[in-house]
Amino acid sequence: MPAVTPNISSHPDAGQPVTRRTSWAEAAAAAQEAKPATHIPAPAREPVSAPAARQDTGTSMSAGADTEAVPPLSTAPSETPAFRRSRPTVAGAIADSPMPDFISSPGLFVKEQKPRPVGGFRGAIYKMTGGAWNLGPGSKQRQEEELGRRISRQLQGSYNTAVLSLKGGIGKTSTTVGVGLTLAEYRGDAPCAIDANPDSGDLVERALGEGIYQQASPRTITDLLRNIDSIDSLTGLARYMHHAGRLHLIAGEQDPEVSDSLTAAEYLRIRKLISSYYSVALTDCGTGVTHNAMSGILQSADNLVIAAGYAVSGAKRARSTLHWLASHGYEDLARNAIVVITDKDEVSSRVDKDAIEEHLSGICRELIAVPHDRGVADGDLVTLDVLKPETRRAYKEIAAAIVDGYR
C-alpha cells in the first residue's frame, strides 16, 4: 500500500513533526512493542512509537532514510539495571562472619570475675571498698572450696561406707553423725545413715537429740524389715526414717532382746532397698567385726572408716582391725580405709600423738584427726553449728575422703 503524505499546509498542526507509517501491520507491531512488560519493572522511559521522520532545520527525511536510521525494536524484556553498594551491609557482614559457639566458649562473652573473699584481711578489704578491691580468696578459703567440690561430686550409682571400731566410746557414732550432716550440707542428694549397731545404738539420738527422738514415733530397723516387701517408693520408705535436716536416718533396735538379731541377709535386703533411692549411705556398725550382720555390711561396703583414739590401746585396736580385714578377704577395704582419730578427753602430754599417727598412717589410705570438742564429747546432740571450725573442717576432710573412694 503506498504511503500517504498529508498536505502540510492544510493540516491544523502545521509546523509539528510529521509521523509516517509505511503500513498498518508495521504500525500495530510498533504499538505492541511500545507497551512495557508487566512482570518486570523498568526505568521510566519515553513511549516508543513507530519510526518517525527526523526534522533537521525544517527539512523532513524520506521514508526510506527514516527506516534505516531507527534500529529494529527487540521483543526481549528489558533487564533491571543492577545497583551495587560500595560498602557491605550489616546483614551481609553478619552472614559472612562465623557463628560464635555460645555453649562451649561462654567465656568469650562474659568477663571472668575473681571469687569473693570471705573473712580475713582479704574479706575486710573487699567489704571496706564495696568490692572495688577484690584480692580473691586466700589459700585457706581455696582449700575449703576444694573440699566442698570433692564432697559434692556427682556419683553414678549408690555407695555405702561402713563406720566401725573394736572399742566403744572413741567417736564412732559421733563421726557418723558429723560426717553425715556434712554430706547433707554439701551434696545435692540427701545421704542416708543406718544404725546397724547390735548393742542398742544411739545414732538417731545423737542426730536429733534425746528429747526429740523420744517424742517421735518408735520406728526402727526392725519395723522396716517387717514391712520391707510392701515398700516400693521413697514415700513408703520415709515412714520408717527419721530426719535431721537433710540427713535421713534409720534407727537401730532399742530392745536388747532383738537388737542382736539383725542378720547379714537382712542387712543386705535393707541395703538393696536403700540403694534404689540414695547415692550415699553410711552404716554405723557398732563395736567389733564379728556380730551377725557384719559379713553383710562388709560385703556391700565400698570403703571403711575406722574410729580410733589418742591412746596406745586405741591405736593398737585400729591396727588390729586393719590386719583382721586384710586376712579375711577384705584386703582392698583395709588398704583404702580412712582412720579417724578423735581426741575426746584431751589426752595428757605423756601421749605422743605424732607417734600414734605415724603408727597408723602407713597402713591406710588416709588418716584424719578430729580435735577435742565439747560439742562432740558430751555424748548428746551433734550439730554442726556448735562445733569448732577445726572440728567442722575435720568432718569435711573425712567426707571428701569418703567420696574420693567411690569409684
Side-chain angles (χ1 to χ4, degrees), residues 11 24 59 90 149 181 194 237 240 269 299 317 372:
H11 198 274
W24 289 106
T59 305
V90 175
R149 283 190 291 269
L181 293 173
I194 306 170
L237 177 60
Y240 301 92
R269 293 184 67 190
Q299 179 181 337
R317 288 188 177 96
H372 175 74

Side-chain angles (χ1 to χ4, degrees), residues 362-375:
I363 58 175
C364 61
R365 174 165 62 91
E366 194 163 350
L367 186 143
I368 300 172
V370 179
H372 175 74
D373 195 324
R374 299 190 68 85

Side-chain angles (χ1 to χ4, degrees), residues 264-284:
E266 290 172 337
Y267 174 82
L268 289 175
R269 293 184 67 190
I270 294 175
R271 174 70 190 109
K272 182 179 180 181
L273 177 65
I274 294 298
S275 65
S276 300
Y277 306 103
Y278 295 91
S279 61
V280 177
L282 304 177
T283 301
D284 187 354

Side-chain angles (χ1 to χ4, degrees), residues 211-223:
I212 296 178
Y213 177 68
Q214 293 298 331
Q215 298 174 4
S217 59
R219 296 161 294 178
T220 66
I221 195 170
T222 303
D223 301 319

Side-chain angles (χ1 to χ4, degrees), residues 3 31 41 57 73-74 94 97 108 139 149 158 181-182 204 230 236 245 257 283 366 372 374 385 399:
T57 65
L73 297 175
S74 174
I94 294 176
S97 62
L108 296 176
S139 59
R149 283 190 291 269
S158 180
L181 293 173
T182 302
V204 178
S230 63
E257 294 183 2
T283 301
E366 194 163 350
H372 175 74
R374 299 190 68 85
D385 294 340

